[in-house]
């Protein structure tokens, strides 16, 4: 239980989060510990952020060294870490030009602006966006405007105009919305918040084709599914369907607040120009050191290879749950971004997993999301399944 001092501090915050009654203190590898020393196996990774888990000594040291040298300068000046992080992120994401933001929502915000700016230069008169039902793109105005859940948008209307929603994985529903005003189509190749829904190969290829045939930009939001989670460095690579604009955040900084939107050279040529966009903190030396070091560790330790090695075991274990337990309806997702749809009330189950010492997250459609740090091993999966079974009993 959270002590009264920590609980009292909550009264100073705007109440937008329903917190569990535990206060986390420190972490190591796959585990987090609360202020009372209780251990939690982490299958949430702080919302798919902590890909390398906790207390990675190499990352910690790189960040500490950078803090001691310099951690903010503004974007008026060059900083070596920024160029290096950009080069490396472009290399692994297959993009050509990148802009660093402080979050995923801000990355999508920038991507939408970049798409409109492209249309403006080309004088196409295109400004509409097609987004997907059940999508999640963040909480800023642009991002909620393309988020396919009424509850995220309605209290804030009117939101950004010119957005139409298609059914995810239904190409005809997308085609029905395309017109000569369509500027970009935005989608998550694997929807997270919306219930762990994987795009079909046909859908990804179909969207690419619609975009190519109509002069529309394809934006992939890989804020959650990117950075190794699906068994490819970025999910689009698994489909072989390259977007024009790619957004990233969450795991690219392993928890240091950093996001990015990136684009191909072809888009960059006509898109944002000097003065069009900016961020005071965006891509500061600390954030860029995080990105650069995270990529170094990912490649040296072949994290993507590890994901491909361990993910089939997670799949097998979750499939067994579906067979064994009546309250588990189906398994969804790919790699280390999977979920199970259950019939029991999620909130109750989640309360029990906390008691069991297991952190999971919920997703739409009564889905328990399993997005552990990517360093997870089979023994952790066994431990998770045991705890989850007891919570579902
Ligand atoms: C989390 C998330 C966002 C928003 O990221 P923030 O850093 O919270 O702004 C955007 N898109 C997707 C797919 C996400 O999962």
């Amino acid at each position: 239980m959270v002590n009264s001092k920590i609980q009292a501090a909550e009264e100073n915050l705007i109440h937008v989060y329903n917190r569990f009654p535990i206060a986390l203190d420190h972490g190591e590898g796959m585990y987090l510990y609360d202020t009372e020393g209780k251990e939690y196996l982490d299958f949430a990774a702080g919302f798919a952020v902590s890909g390398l888990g906790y207390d990675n000594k190499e990352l910690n040291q790189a960040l500490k060294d950078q803090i001691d040298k310099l951690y903010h300068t503004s974007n008026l000046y060059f900083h070596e870490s920024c160029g290096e992080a950009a080069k490396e992120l472009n290399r692994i994401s297959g993009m050509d030009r990148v802009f660093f933001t402080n979050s995923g929502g801000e990355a999508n915000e920038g991507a939408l602006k970049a798409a409109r700016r492209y249309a403006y230069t080309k004088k196409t008169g295109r400004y509409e966006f097609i987004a997907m039902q059940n999508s999640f793109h963040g909480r800023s105005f642009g991002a909620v405007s393309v988020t396919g859940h009424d509850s995220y948008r309605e209290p804030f209307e009117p939101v950004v105009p010119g957005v139409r929603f298609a059914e995810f994985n239904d190409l005809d529903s997308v085609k029905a919305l395309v017109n000569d005003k369509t500027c970009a189509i935005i989608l998550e190749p694997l929807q997270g918040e919306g219930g762990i829904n994987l795009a079909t190969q046909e859908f990804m290829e179909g969207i690419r084709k619609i975009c190519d045939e109509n002069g529309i930009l394809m934006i992939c939001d890989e804020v959650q599914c990117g950075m190794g989670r699906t068994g490819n460095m970025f999910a689009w690579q698994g489909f072989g369907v390259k977007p024009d604009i790619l957004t990233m955040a969450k795991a690219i900084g392993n928890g240091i607040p950093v996001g990015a939107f990136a684009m191909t050279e072809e888009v960059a040529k006509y898109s944002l120009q000097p003065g069009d966009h900016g961020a005071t903190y965006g891509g500061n030396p600390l954030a860029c050191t995080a990105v650069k070091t995270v990529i170094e560790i990912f490649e040296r330790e072949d994290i993507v290879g590890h994901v491909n090695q361990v993910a089939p075991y997670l799949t097998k274990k979750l499939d067994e749950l579906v067979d064994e337990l009546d309250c588990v309806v189906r398994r969804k997702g790919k790699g280390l971004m999977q979920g199970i749809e259950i019939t029991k009330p999620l909130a109750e189950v989640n309360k029990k997993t906390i008691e069991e010492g297991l952190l999971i997250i919920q997703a739409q459609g009564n889905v328990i999301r399993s997005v552990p740090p990517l360093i997870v091993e089979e023994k952790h999966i066994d431990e998770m399944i045991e705890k989850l079974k007891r919570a579902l009993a």
Side-chain angles (χ1 to χ4, degrees):
M1 282 299 114
V2 180
N3 71 38
S4 54
K5 191 172 144 222
I6 293 174
Q7 194 104 52
E10 184 79 11
E11 296 310 313
N12 295 290
L13 294 163
I14 297 170
H15 282 190
V16 291
Y17 300 115
N18 290 314
R19 294 187 209 275
F20 291 104
I22 56 172
L24 295 173
D25 179 70
H26 63 281
E28 199 184 324
M30 283 291 298
Y31 294 92
L32 285 161
Y33 299 85
D34 71 13
T35 45
E36 291 169 358
K38 182 172 169 180
E39 180 179 274
Y40 299 87
L41 175 63
D42 184 24
F43 267 66
F47 277 101
V49 169
S50 311
L52 296 174
Y54 304 96
D55 198 22
N56 182 295
K57 299 289 185 214
E58 182 181 346
L59 180 58
N60 290 359
Q61 195 56 51
L63 294 172
K64 285 178 202 169
D65 289 348
Q66 193 58 54
I67 285 175
D68 286 341
K69 271 170 81 179
L70 185 68
Y71 54 87
H72 180 75
T73 61
S74 92
N75 284 301
L76 278 179
Y77 317 102
F78 286 101
H79 188 274
E80 202 180 356
S81 66
C82 185
E84 284 174 13
K87 180 164 161 258
E88 292 302 288
L89 196 56
N90 284 337
R91 182 174 58 76
I92 64 166
S93 69
M95 294 286 117
D96 300 316
R97 300 267 177 176
V98 62
F99 179 98
F100 288 110
T101 67
N102 307 290
S103 70
E106 220 185 298
N108 286 319
E109 200 71 31
L112 298 174
K113 280 181 72 180
R116 286 247 176 112
R117 187 62 178 80
Y118 176 87
Y120 179 81
T121 307
K122 291 208 151 190
K123 299 192 169 55
T124 61
R126 293 176 178 272
Y127 62 90
E128 285 189 1
F129 296 111
I130 297 176
M132 301 301 144
Q133 297 290 1
N134 284 316
S135 63
F136 180 79
H137 297 294
R139 306 294 198 145
S140 60
F141 256 109
V144 287
S145 304
V146 290
T147 286
H149 289 284
D150 293 346
S151 65
Y152 288 112
R153 286 197 317 273
E154 261 175 23
F156 310 104
E157 281 178 339
V159 294
V160 175
V163 181
R164 296 147 164 267
F165 290 95
E167 273 313 311
F168 190 63
N169 277 340
D170 178 345
L171 218 44
D172 288 335
S173 79
V174 179
K175 284 181 188 155
L177 300 180
V178 170
N179 62 36
D180 62 3
K181 298 277 173 255
T182 312
C183 166
I185 300 176
I186 180 168
L187 78 160
E188 299 151 85
L190 173 47
Q191 292 186 331
E193 199 68 25
I196 310 291
N197 308 311
L198 181 63
T200 61
Q201 182 68 29
E202 189 197 357
F203 191 62
M204 288 291 282
E205 283 176 12
I207 297 277
R208 185 66 269 175
K209 191 155 176 275
I210 291 170
C211 288
D212 289 341
E213 286 173 358
N214 296 280
I216 296 168
L217 297 178
M218 179 175 181
I219 305 173
C220 280
D221 176 349
E222 296 217 25
V223 167
Q224 187 163 158
C225 65
M227 209 62 204
R229 197 154 277 288
T230 61
N232 284 97
M233 196 60 100
F234 286 89
W236 74 258
Q237 293 156 338
F239 294 97
V241 174
K242 188 171 169 175
D244 302 295
I245 302 178
L246 178 70
T247 65
M248 300 160 267
K250 294 200 163 100
I252 69 168
N254 206 59
I256 296 298
V258 55
F261 63 94
M263 55 186 77
T264 60
E265 192 64 44
E266 180 54 28
V267 176
K269 242 192 296 182
Y270 301 99
S271 189
L272 302 168
Q273 302 299 317
D276 278 346
H277 199 61
T280 301
Y281 295 135
N284 80 15
L286 185 66
C288 286
T289 297
V291 171
K292 185 170 78 107
T293 311
V294 165
I295 295 173
E296 260 167 43
I297 298 172
F298 258 69
E299 294 200 314
R300 197 186 56 240
E301 308 205 338
D302 190 19
I303 299 287
V304 174
H306 175 72
V307 171
N308 285 311
Q309 204 193 344
V310 76
Y313 191 70
L314 177 65
T315 303
K316 176 171 158 259
K317 287 298 186 181
L318 293 177
D319 279 342
E320 281 171 16
L321 273 192
V322 177
D323 289 342
E324 278 172 39
L325 302 179
D326 285 344
C327 66
V328 182
V329 184
R330 66 171 69 92
R331 179 189 61 81
K332 304 163 95 177
K334 189 182 176 197
L336 292 180
M337 185 166 167
Q338 303 209 29
I340 47 168
E341 188 181 324
I342 62 168
T343 52
K344 290 197 168 172
L346 263 185
E348 266 170 46
V349 174
N350 212 343
K351 212 177 133 219
K352 285 193 196 155
T353 63
I354 296 274
E355 284 165 16
E356 289 289 340
L358 170 67
L359 304 182
I360 44 136
I361 27 183
Q362 310 177 3
Q364 303 277 334
N366 224 50
V367 167
I368 292 178
R369 218 181 315 186
S370 163
V371 285
L374 305 179
I375 57 170
V376 66
E377 293 169 24
E378 289 189 5
K379 65 179 184 207
H380 303 120
I381 293 171
D382 288 338
E383 187 186 336
M384 179 276 285
I385 293 286
E386 277 189 15
K387 290 182 160 165
L388 190 56
K389 265 191 194 167
R390 284 198 292 270
L392 285 167

